[in-house]
């Protein structure tokens, strides 16, 4: 069966800014795909192109086999949670959702809405106005809104931004639940490696509009290993490691070494052993770190 979302060699420029450059990806049916990249890497642009909200310059975009920009019907049953969700404040959220259900042609809008409220974990807060909700509940209201069309594809742009750490975990767990219970294909974006790799089965990494990686979280960890070393003379150790071809960055308390893969770790250990003995450097600790993507992408 054909993948529900396919991009082939997609390029998008805003003026002379290249937001996406020759990007090809596929989003697998019923899986959780995480789109990872620092701010400005092109995530929202990609999401909007997939939804047919904006037009690509060149390349091919298929949403369920159809060009979403040319044929808006491709977007039916695709739920979208935008980066900064907003719902009308003129009436309680439940009323907003009922209006949406009527627009979608639901035969029993109240049942549709009650189910969406329950699935999104909004029960008990549905009679409040959107502006009265906390950030986490606003996100839930937006999720409930996205569920009204009874989607089989759910697309969430930075669903955890602006949330506190506990709420971030809860919202991601809720999305995982929806993926499992409702059999949804889930595509979401984020800029924190640990967060995206916790729930994604497939990860797409963008940097400066270019596709850096698509594959399993495990394989992503393998291509990008970072090691933090504590020692008595970090400045000197940094210089010595650079001479051995390692890329390092010195921070006040530790030395970060960027490796191109896990397979480089044994060589690093060997070199450290030799350098420590030869130059009298005391090494206190060596840790592999799961750094933020920003950290990881700082590599050339
Ligand atoms: P992300 O969602 O990963 O933060 P975006 O897709 O929003 O990235 O943006 C990618 C790049 O395109 C950024 O450099 C951004 O400034 C630029 N960009 C996005 N939207 C517009 C726009 N409407 N006009 C001009 N530049 C834009
Ligand atoms: Mg964005």
């Amino acid at each position: 069966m054909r993948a529900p979302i396919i991009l082939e060699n997609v390029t998008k420029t805003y003026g002379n800014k290249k937001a996406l450059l020759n990007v090809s990806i596929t989003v697998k049916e019923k899986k959780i795909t995480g789109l990872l990249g620092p701010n400005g890497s092109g995530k929202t642009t990609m999401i909007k192109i997939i939804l047919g909200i904006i037009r690509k310059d060149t390349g091919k975009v298929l949403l369920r086999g159809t060009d979403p920009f040319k044929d808006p019907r491709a977007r039916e049953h695709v739920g979208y949670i935008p980066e900064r969700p907003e719902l009308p404040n003129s009436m309680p959220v439940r009323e907003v959702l009922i209006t949406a259900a009527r627009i979608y042609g639901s035969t029993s809008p109240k049942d549709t809405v009650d189910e969406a409220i329950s699935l999104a974990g909004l029960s008990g807060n549905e009679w409040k106005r959107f502006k009265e909700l906390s950030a986490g509940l606003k996100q839930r209201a937006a999720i409930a809104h996205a569920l009204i069309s009874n989607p089989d594809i759910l697309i969430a742009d930075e669903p955890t931004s602006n949330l506190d750490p506990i709420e971030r975990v809860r919202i991601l767990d809720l999305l995982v639940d929806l993926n499992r219970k409702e059999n949804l294909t889930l595509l979401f974006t984020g800029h924190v490696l640990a967060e995206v790799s916790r729930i994604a089965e497939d990860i797409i990494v963008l940097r400066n509009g270019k596709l850096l990686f698509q594959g399993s979280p495990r394989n992503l960890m393998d291509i990008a290993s970072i090691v933090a070393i504590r020692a008595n003379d970090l400045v000197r150790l940094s210089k010595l490691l650079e001479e051995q071809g390692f890329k390092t960055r010195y921070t006040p308390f530790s030395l970060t070494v960027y490796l191109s893969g896990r397979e480089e770790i044994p060589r690093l250990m060997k070199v450290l052993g030799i350098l420590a003995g030869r130059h009298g450097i005391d090494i206190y600790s060596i840790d592999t770190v799961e750094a933020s993507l920003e950290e990881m992408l700082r590599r050339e």
Side-chain angles (χ1 to χ4, degrees):
M1 199 173 167
R2 183 189 269 180
I5 300 170
I6 300 172
L7 265 62
E8 276 174 28
N9 301 319
V10 169
T11 294
K12 171 75 189 176
T13 48
Y14 298 106
N16 57 8
K17 169 86 204 170
K18 283 197 163 47
L20 288 179
L21 195 67
N22 229 7
V23 172
S24 301
I25 55 121
T26 52
V27 172
K28 296 185 188 92
E29 176 115 55
K30 314 286 186 208
K31 292 250 185 245
I32 301 178
T33 300
L35 176 53
L36 180 65
N39 287 334
S41 56
K43 302 183 297 295
T44 299
T45 300
M46 184 190 274
I47 296 293
K48 287 185 174 169
I49 285 175
I50 289 169
L51 290 162
I53 297 172
I54 58 173
R55 186 179 207 156
K56 77 214 184 279
D57 298 342
T58 54
K60 197 164 160 186
V61 182
L62 293 173
L63 177 59
R64 287 208 207 85
T66 312
D67 182 332
F69 193 82
K70 289 193 186 131
D71 186 358
R73 276 176 305 177
R75 255 196 79 176
E76 280 173 16
H77 305 293
V78 179
Y80 171 43
I81 303 150
E83 205 167 356
R84 280 174 217 88
E86 286 288 342
L87 290 178
N89 289 305
S90 53
M91 49 186 157
V93 168
R94 190 167 188 279
E95 300 295 327
V96 174
L97 296 177
I98 288 193
T99 307
R102 290 212 178 95
I103 292 169
Y104 280 112
S106 163
T107 46
S108 52
K110 286 188 177 163
D111 293 338
T112 303
V113 166
D114 286 339
E115 199 195 339
I117 286 172
S118 157
L119 282 171
L122 193 65
S123 304
N125 292 287
E126 67 270 39
W127 292 103
K128 292 184 182 147
R129 278 156 215 267
F130 186 72
K131 65 178 172 197
E132 294 161 5
L133 299 175
S134 67
L137 287 170
K138 279 186 173 138
Q139 193 63 31
R140 285 169 195 272
I143 292 172
H145 189 256
L147 292 174
I148 293 293
S149 66
N150 191 24
D152 46 37
I153 300 175
L154 191 61
I155 299 182
D157 197 359
E158 306 255 2
T160 61
S161 63
N162 301 318
L163 302 184
D164 65 54
I166 293 171
E167 214 33 61
R168 291 173 87 96
V169 171
R170 286 196 185 134
I171 290 292
L172 289 181
D173 287 348
L174 172 63
L175 292 173
V176 173
D177 259 14
L178 288 171
N179 158 262
R180 300 219 177 110
K181 285 193 206 138
E182 301 296 298
N183 244 337
L184 285 165
T185 300
L186 173 65
L187 172 64
F188 76 105
T189 75
H191 56 268
V192 181
L193 173 64
E195 210 174 81
V196 174
S197 59
R198 180 172 75 85
I199 71 159
E201 296 158 287
D202 201 41
I203 295 190
I204 295 164
V205 183
L206 284 180
R207 179 175 61 175
N208 293 332
K210 289 186 196 140
L211 178 71
L212 214 65
F213 173 86
Q214 172 162 19
S216 70
R218 216 194 127 76
N219 288 344
L220 176 62
M221 297 304 164
D222 282 347
I223 65 157
S225 295
I226 297 175
V227 174
I229 301 170
R230 286 165 183 268
N232 61 345
D233 192 346
L234 293 176
V235 178
R236 189 136 156 263
L237 184 59
S238 163
K239 196 169 159 282
L240 292 167
L241 283 173
E242 294 266 346
E243 282 169 14
Q244 295 295 319
F246 289 102
K247 195 166 161 38
T248 68
R249 198 162 63 87
Y250 167 75
T251 65
F253 307 107
S254 71
L255 187 69
T256 308
V257 184
Y258 300 96
L259 303 176
S260 55
R262 295 235 156 134
E263 69 282 358
E264 271 201 281
I265 292 177
R267 186 171 86 86
L268 174 65
M269 294 302 189
K270 237 177 254 169
V271 169
L272 279 174
I274 294 167
L275 292 178
R278 196 179 291 161
H279 300 273
I281 293 173
D282 290 332
I283 291 169
Y284 305 135
S285 67
I286 301 167
D287 296 294
T288 53
V289 265
E290 209 172 282
S292 73
L293 186 71
E294 259 89 351
E295 175 88 6
M296 182 182 109
L297 295 182
R298 224 169 266 152
R299 296 186 308 155
E300 302 292 295

